[in-house]
Amino acid sequence: MVDKQKGDLIMKQTTLIVIVAALFLCCMCVPVGAIIQEVTLKGTVATLNQPKNMLTIEHPQQYGCSYPATGAPVCTYTPMSVEVLTGTVPDPAVFSVFTNGDPVVATSIGGAGETWITLAKLFGSRPNEEFVTDIVGDFSTIPTPLMGNYALDATTVPDCAACTGTTCTAQSSNVKVMSEGREVFAQALKPGETLNYNGRNDGSSVAVTFVKGQALSSSCPGKAGMIGPQAVSVYIIKVVPPISAAQVDIRTATTTRPDEALRTAAPTVATTSSPAMIPTTKSGMLPLAAIGAIGLAGLILVMRKE
């Protein structure tokens, strides 16, 4: 009898340790932000309603990736079940950058449409020719590369006296310009300031205006480990393509990018209706939260039995 009681006690203690360890791991694995779903899609600008600060995209296709057992992820656009999606724009500059009929990639927060946090204008009519020339919003949410083999990176700096939960007002943004994979220019921008780079001698240039933004509060004293929405910022970006951005393939008489001239390139992003695709969102914390809730329930149950 005594041995049985000891065995039960050891089992309860072991269960308690496992539950506490699971809860600890959940807390350690959960990122500071990124709990509000983001949806990225591609389509065509249907209407712009400046008085209501709204933009409508027609024939939307949602971006997502599948992850095979071996090899790199396969990312595609899948037609959605709706014909149009409407949302508020991230900045009034949208109405001077975009017009009806423009092909765009857009990202919304909190679901498909309703609130656009990024709108990017596409250059090129074929999948393997799609590049971005203009962006209004948070460029980090757009999977399509910039025109001219440019890339951008930005780190916002929080104003630790202006924080709410996991986000603070950004007092500045440290922006880097990459050309052909190398950093070629960097500048710290305060809200309203603009960076300009045109150092390649090929007629191309990049202009980045930091309109406003947020930064994660985790770097501020006493704010580490908080859980909440991701930081979102607004930039206005204009890429002027190189002079040789388009030329005629003499074999096919079609206009191609310089790196496609006299050869056929396989599309890097395809349109498909594969049901196995996983939409790319930033709501990955939800499964971890569920695990934490289950662990907490188990802990309460064990304590009651004791």
Side-chain angles (χ1 to χ4, degrees):
M1 183 68 177
V2 174
D3 291 340
K4 185 177 184 301
Q5 289 178 343
K6 287 183 177 180
D8 291 343
L9 179 60
I10 292 173
M11 182 175 295
K12 288 181 179 180
Q13 291 175 339
T14 302
T15 303
L16 180 61
I17 292 171
V18 170
I19 292 172
V20 171
L23 289 171
F24 177 76
L25 287 174
C26 286
C27 293
M28 292 296 291
C29 293
V30 172
V32 172
I35 64 169
I36 300 180
Q37 183 187 38
E38 293 179 6
V39 178
T40 298
L41 55 89
K42 179 173 67 172
T44 303
V45 175
T47 59
L48 297 104
N49 189 332
Q50 189 167 2
K52 293 186 177 181
N53 205 43
M54 308 282 281
L55 180 144
T56 298
I57 295 175
E58 62 183 356
H59 310 307
Q61 303 173 49
Q62 186 170 347
Y63 181 79
C65 298
S66 61
Y67 299 87
T70 59
V74 178
C75 298
T76 60
Y77 285 97
T78 301
M80 302 179 71
S81 59
V82 296
E83 288 297 318
V84 297
L85 287 170
T86 300
T88 56
V89 302
D91 187 83
V94 163
F95 300 106
S96 60
V97 173
F98 297 88
T99 59
N100 291 352
D102 281 343
V104 293
V105 172
T107 298
S108 59
I109 193 167
E114 297 188 8
T115 304
W116 304 119
I117 59 172
T118 318
L119 292 160
K121 184 186 294 187
L122 292 176
F123 172 92
S125 58
R126 298 197 297 265
N128 59 318
E129 284 188 342
E130 288 181 344
F131 291 88
V132 169
T133 57
D134 297 84
I135 297 176
V136 178
D138 195 324
F139 65 86
S140 66
T141 68
I142 299 298
T144 309
L146 294 177
M147 187 67 188
N149 208 6
Y150 284 107
L152 295 171
D153 180 70
T155 303
T156 49
V157 179
D159 177 356
C160 294
C163 299
T164 302
T166 55
T167 61
C168 308
T169 300
Q171 60 181 348
S172 64
S173 178
N174 297 320
V175 180
K176 297 178 182 179
V177 179
M178 272 75 71
S179 172
E180 300 177 348
R182 296 183 303 106
E183 181 182 330
V184 292
F185 193 75
Q187 185 174 334
L189 301 177
K190 293 181 179 180
E193 293 184 338
T194 300
L195 168 160
N196 288 285
Y197 173 77
N198 61 353
R200 289 205 325 203
N201 298 319
D202 60 358
S204 68
S205 64
V206 179
V208 181
T209 299
F210 177 48
V211 178
K212 61 182 179 180
Q214 298 174 325
L216 291 176
S217 61
S218 55
S219 61
C220 295
K223 301 288 187 179
M226 297 187 68
I227 299 172
Q230 63 268 41
V232 177
S233 297
V234 178
Y235 299 83
I236 300 173
I237 298 165
K238 175 66 178 179
V239 178
V240 175
I243 296 173
S244 59
Q247 57 182 293
V248 175
D249 186 327
I250 59 174
R251 296 183 303 176
T252 63
T254 58
T255 301
T256 66
R257 300 196 321 268
D259 60 334
E260 288 185 323
L262 303 181
R263 65 185 178 88
T264 301
T268 56
V269 178
T271 299
T272 180
S273 57
S274 171
M277 186 186 68
I278 302 173
T280 55
T281 65
K282 292 188 177 180
S283 57
M285 286 177 56
L286 296 179
L288 291 175
I291 294 172
I294 293 171
L296 182 59
L299 176 60
I300 294 172
L301 180 61
V302 171
M303 293 178 67
R304 284 183 176 178
K305 287 184 177 180
E306 291 180 344

